[in-house]
Amino acid sequence: MIRKATVVSLCMAACWAALVVACRHNDAVLSTTPHPYTLSLPDNFPPVQYDFASNPLTEEGIALGRVIFYDSKLSADSLVSCAFCHQQYAAFGHYDHALSHGVYGRIGVRTVPSIFNMIWNKAYMWDGGVINLDMQPLTPLTDHNEMGEDLPTLLLHMQADANYRKLFKAAFGTEEVTSQRMFRAVIQFVATLNSFHSKYDSVKAGNASFTPDEAAGYEVFQQNCATCHQEPLFTDGSFRNNGLPVQPALNDSGRMRITGNASDYLKFKVPSLRNIIRTEPYMHDGRFFDIFNVFDHYDHGIVQSATLDPLLKNGIPLNSAQQRQLYLFLNTLTDYQLLNDKTLADPATPQ
Amino acid sequence: MILVLAGCSKSSGEEDAAGANTLQLSIHHIVNGKPLVLNDSIYYNTFQEPFTVTAFKYYLSNFSLTTTDGKTVTLKQSYYLVNQADSTSRQLVMSGIPDGSYQTLSFLIGVDSLTNVAGPQSGALDVVNGMYWAWNSGYINAKFEGKSDVSTSTANLLQFHIGGFIAPSNTIRTVQLTLAQPQLWSGGQHTIQATADLYTWFDLPNPISFAKFAGTMEPNADAMKVADNYQHMFQITSITTP
């Protein structure tokens, strides 16, 4: 089956032009063909989860997605773009904001997750409620506490905008703005937000070496953190209760809200530790503003409960020397290429 | 080149290859025998609680016909959003049906699980139709909204958004309608008139009192009960064939 699929796809590629001519005789849709874009991905990462076949990356699709990502006019009060909460310098998280901020000053109930390496994720949002990456843009665009816009209205606004019509035509062949096209374009851009150029990656590739403190911190990490924050993504993508005391004001049941299963009470997605020093505050509700507060939580703050992850039953004892070493190791996970890549920045800002 | 030719003949000559019969399924919405009229008309549920209807829509998909000798003929996949507010949406036309002697019409109320996980769709499945949950991925298979004086929710609203495609809250339901007598089809357009009765949503096997239950908007056990009720909402009233 695999072999057959390969042959068919090769033939599809080779014969595409012929097909267009033969079958689309009454349709000049593909007069300008978008240019395919190939992501270069690291060899030592697991296979991507994202189905690129359903949304092939093109230069024009990514460019459109980037414009949408940075366009605050798409929100109900014209102030909140995707990038408002997903800031490049914060590894596409929201620096220094505990709970997500939305239109008209509304505050959400969870912290903004940083969105890089999404193509390796299986489920999205802190509770895994979104299961297809291409559907993800719908949530922030329409959520009352986020961009708060009515989707049909939003699509009409985009359709009325000459620049969007031009960009949609370049990316998809016609000027028609649809939710399907918009979501796919946004995710084409998001698919380019990947982090694998940290010092840690250079060390793994044999092109750099850890300082003695970083090396000691790496050992602390491997012995205490690596089961959940599995390398090389620094998350295993699972949902776990890490023993945080419940905040009564939020009373967030976590993944149980999605599954309805009591065994998922207080479970949240394990976040990646890549760029962690740039993505404060921490935890699903942003309750810790300093990574050392996080260390303290694992050292002596764990609350026992029925759904507490068994690995955390006795906490993670970390003395101050280990905490310092761990902090220095976590710094090696900052990916300055991702944080500074101008092709990922606001296209409206002169470079 | 074989692939290219095959690809072309499929897209240009699909109907000829599949069959020359067309089925028009014409759906009439009623509430316990009375025609459904949005907004003003007052109806009564099985507990004699009054209610009005402001929205009534649902997905139908995965149509098939079963022949008298037990063979299943799958009709070309299409997703229909049947909506009381849109009369054309209540005329479902399915073409390319091969000749045969048919006994049963089957379909799903709702969107199959594969399509629920397949990413952004267009047409009837476009999320702009308001039949999709963003926070907990999945289609709303069927939606009823209205008002009842006995409802204790805000503004006496009734909001039944029934969805969920994963066990134990899989609300997709299969409907099998037996045709009164075997239908021998050998070309042309055949029309099946059917009623869909909103009364059934709140009747058996799980009678619903609006005073106690004014709706649900997530996959859960309550949604399952409503789906178990509404899977009985269709009834064929007549079949005409050329």
Side-chain angles (χ1 to χ4, degrees), chain A residues 39-242:
Chain A
L39 278 179
S40 62
L41 299 175
D43 297 333
N44 62 324
F45 271 40
V48 294
Q49 295 290 327
Y50 185 67
D51 177 19
F52 283 104
S54 70
N55 185 20
L57 300 190
T58 63
E59 288 172 17
E60 291 81 357
I62 294 166
L64 169 59
R66 184 177 167 199
V67 169
I68 297 170
F69 192 84
Y70 282 96
D71 187 355
S72 56
K73 292 195 304 297
L74 302 181
S75 63
D77 68 356
S78 294
L79 293 175
V80 179
S81 63
C82 305
F84 177 85
C85 286
H86 297 289
Q87 302 160 328
Q88 186 178 13
Y89 65 86
F92 297 94
H94 203 177
Y95 183 75
D96 208 29
H97 285 71
L99 297 172
S100 63
H101 286 213
V103 290
Y104 307 116
R106 292 176 194 144
I107 307 292
V109 296
R110 292 174 183 159
T111 203
V112 174
S114 43
I115 50 164
F116 54 81
N117 294 352
M118 289 294 104
I119 55 176
W120 283 280
N121 272 238
K122 298 186 187 87
Y124 308 89
M125 311 289 279
W126 281 103
D127 55 22
V130 175
I131 48 181
N132 186 306
L133 183 54
D134 289 339
M135 294 307 295
Q136 177 61 49
L138 176 64
T139 307
L141 281 166
T142 56
D143 191 291
H144 180 76
N145 287 328
E146 298 185 43
M147 295 169 75
E149 187 55 288
D150 171 64
L151 188 62
T153 308
L154 173 70
L155 295 170
L156 282 175
H157 284 166
M158 294 177 94
Q159 189 71 69
D161 181 304
N163 190 44
Y164 272 122
R165 289 201 300 274
K166 191 185 79 187
L167 293 169
F168 271 84
K169 182 167 185 177
F172 298 109
T174 67
E175 293 184 343
E176 193 192 1
V177 177
T178 67
S179 66
Q180 186 182 55
R181 286 177 166 188
M182 179 185 51
F183 295 167
R184 285 179 175 170
V186 171
I187 295 309
Q188 286 196 36
F189 174 66
V190 169
T192 67
L193 310 180
N194 296 313
S195 183
F196 47 85
H197 288 110
S198 64
K199 177 175 180 183
Y200 160 86
D201 296 296
S202 299
V203 172
K204 283 284 162 183
N207 299 325
S209 48
F210 287 136
T211 66
D213 277 334
E214 288 166 355
Y218 185 35
E219 244 176 69
V220 173
F221 162 80
Q222 286 182 306
Q223 284 162 14
N224 297 286
C225 320
T227 308
C228 306
H229 297 289
Q230 199 179 89
E231 297 172 75
L233 293 164
F234 288 85
T235 172
D236 66 352
S238 65
F239 301 89
R240 299 172 189 255
N241 172 358
N242 67 343

Side-chain angles (χ1 to χ4, degrees), chain A residues 8 11-12 15 19 22-23 127 129-132 134-135 138-139 142 151-152 155 179-180 183-184 257-258, chain B residues 1 3-4 7-8 11 116-122 126-128 132-137 165-166 168 218:
Chain A
V8 169
C11 187
M12 284 299 282
C15 302
L19 254 173
C23 301
D127 55 22
V130 175
I131 48 181
N132 186 306
D134 289 339
M135 294 307 295
L138 176 64
T139 307
T142 56
L151 188 62
L155 295 170
S179 66
Q180 186 182 55
F183 295 167
R184 285 179 175 170
R257 179 169 175 252
I258 300 304
Chain B
M1 276 320 280
L3 182 86
V4 172
C8 286
S11 58
N116 266 286
V117 300
Q121 306 290 315
S122 56
D126 193 320
V127 293
V128 294
Y132 188 88
W133 281 316
W135 60 279
N136 187 357
S137 290
F165 62 96
I166 300 170
E218 60 183 336

